[in-house]
Amino acid sequence: MFTTAHLLRLGASQSQIRRATHAGDLIRLRPGWYARPDADPTVVSAVCSGGVLGCVSALRAHGAWIAPGHDVTHVRTSKSLRASAARSCRGDGPPPPTAVAVDPVDVALGYARRCMTEEHWIAACDSVLESSLAHRADIVSVLGPRGRAVLDKCDEHSQSGTESLVRVRLRALNFVVIVQPRIPGVGRVDLRVGKLLIECDSKSHHTSLANYRNDRRRDRVALERGWLTMRLTYDDILYDWDGVLGSIRAITLPERHRMRRDRPS
């Protein structure tokens, strides 16, 4: 995907651009925007509609973790443009220029805050921070005061979107949640609430046999050392949270999860 200015910077002349378009090597999407025939159709659609791929759709294109339920294509327009085929997403401040076909990650996060639930945005932001797709300082710069308050709840140590969701939900209920603690003899686990270790599957399909065996070994060692382990599947977290929370409360309400002085810390 190219703007006319981009093609000129690459050394093409206006006549070469016209010839490439006539030959079918370039497709004119709208004034000033061109694409190769093999360009991503979702991005092509966003540009043709009068904007660029932005918000949640841009985050997905960059590889951020996106919770299910965000399948609509999100388009962002600059101040001088109005999308004709899609509603433009809105951010906290004036829109930056639409210089590239897919918004940068920090800009996309700034716009996605209004199009996602708070917990889904935090999970996406966690994955961005953990993968170094953008830095916290860059994200802060595109957020208003309310957005910055939500950013404070993000954690770059989170290893999966499902882990992020569990952390956010439990902390909202005043659970003290430790992220990625190292347990002696066991290694790192996703979350810890007292002596309850919570492991969160990041995908809906089954893990490999080697991982399956290693997980069971870790669970056995943890139990020997006085820890309780709860393994949550992707479907548990996304589609049966009430059941999961009931199980966690069944352990925590009797305070079976509390650490004792003679227990490992």
Side-chain angles (χ1 to χ4, degrees):
M1 202 81 65
F2 311 93
T3 62
T4 302
H6 186 193
L7 290 170
L8 294 175
R9 286 197 302 269
L10 292 174
S13 65
Q14 291 284 5
S15 61
Q16 287 174 322
I17 295 172
R18 286 193 295 270
R19 286 197 299 270
T21 304
H22 181 74
D25 296 326
L26 287 177
I27 300 171
R28 185 175 183 272
L29 305 180
R30 72 170 196 253
W33 285 84
Y34 299 85
R36 294 192 335 184
D38 60 348
D40 186 300
T42 302
V43 184
V44 168
S45 174
V47 174
C48 286
S49 72
V52 296
L53 194 71
C55 194
V56 182
S57 299
L59 291 175
R60 179 180 284 111
H62 285 292
W65 189 88
I66 303 298
H70 299 279
D71 300 324
V72 175
T73 299
H74 292 253
V75 177
R76 182 184 70 80
T77 62
S78 68
K79 185 182 295 186
S80 60
L81 294 171
R82 291 294 180 267
S84 59
R87 180 179 63 85
S88 178
C89 299
R90 295 180 178 273
D92 288 337
T98 51
V100 291
V102 179
D103 265 340
V105 174
D106 54 340
V107 174
L109 275 171
Y111 278 74
R113 198 185 67 78
R114 293 176 179 236
C115 290
M116 306 175 85
T117 64
E118 181 174 300
E119 65 175 29
H120 284 184
W121 188 89
I122 290 172
C125 190
D126 280 358
S127 74
V128 164
L129 293 170
E130 192 276 332
S131 302
S132 298
L133 293 173
H135 299 292
R136 191 177 287 263
D138 298 322
I139 300 169
V140 166
S141 68
V142 300
L143 298 174
R146 293 180 63 181
R148 295 187 195 112
V150 179
L151 180 61
D152 288 340
K153 300 179 183 180
C154 296
D155 194 318
E156 61 271 22
H157 299 101
S158 181
Q159 296 296 300
S160 70
T162 48
E163 176 190 324
S164 297
L165 294 179
V166 173
R167 180 192 82 241
V168 170
R169 291 170 180 178
L170 290 180
R171 284 182 176 172
L173 296 171
N174 296 318
F175 285 89
V176 177
V177 183
I178 309 301
V179 177
Q180 290 292 315
R182 183 176 293 280
I183 307 300
V186 177
R188 288 204 178 276
V189 299
D190 291 338
L191 303 169
R192 178 170 74 80
V193 178
K195 67 174 183 178
L196 174 63
L197 309 180
I198 302 176
E199 297 277 35
C200 309
D201 286 352
S202 59
K203 297 179 181 179
S204 57
H205 61 262
H206 296 293
T207 187
S208 69
L209 180 59
N211 287 341
Y212 178 89
R213 288 172 173 169
N214 186 55
D215 287 344
R216 271 60 195 172
R217 180 196 62 78
R218 282 160 46 96
D219 292 350
R220 185 180 70 249
V221 172
L223 187 59
E224 289 174 356
R225 297 185 175 222
W227 302 97
L228 302 173
T229 301
M230 181 179 294
R231 290 194 171 274
L232 304 178
T233 68
Y234 179 94
D235 288 346
D236 288 337
I237 298 165
L238 271 299
Y239 306 114
D240 188 28
W241 176 247
D242 287 344
V244 168
L245 183 58
S247 297
I248 292 173
R249 281 178 164 156
I251 294 172
T252 58
L253 286 180
E255 298 195 345
R256 292 165 54 196
H257 72 300
R258 296 290 186 189
M259 301 293 295
R260 296 181 180 178
R261 293 181 182 275
D262 57 343
R263 294 293 188 188
S265 59

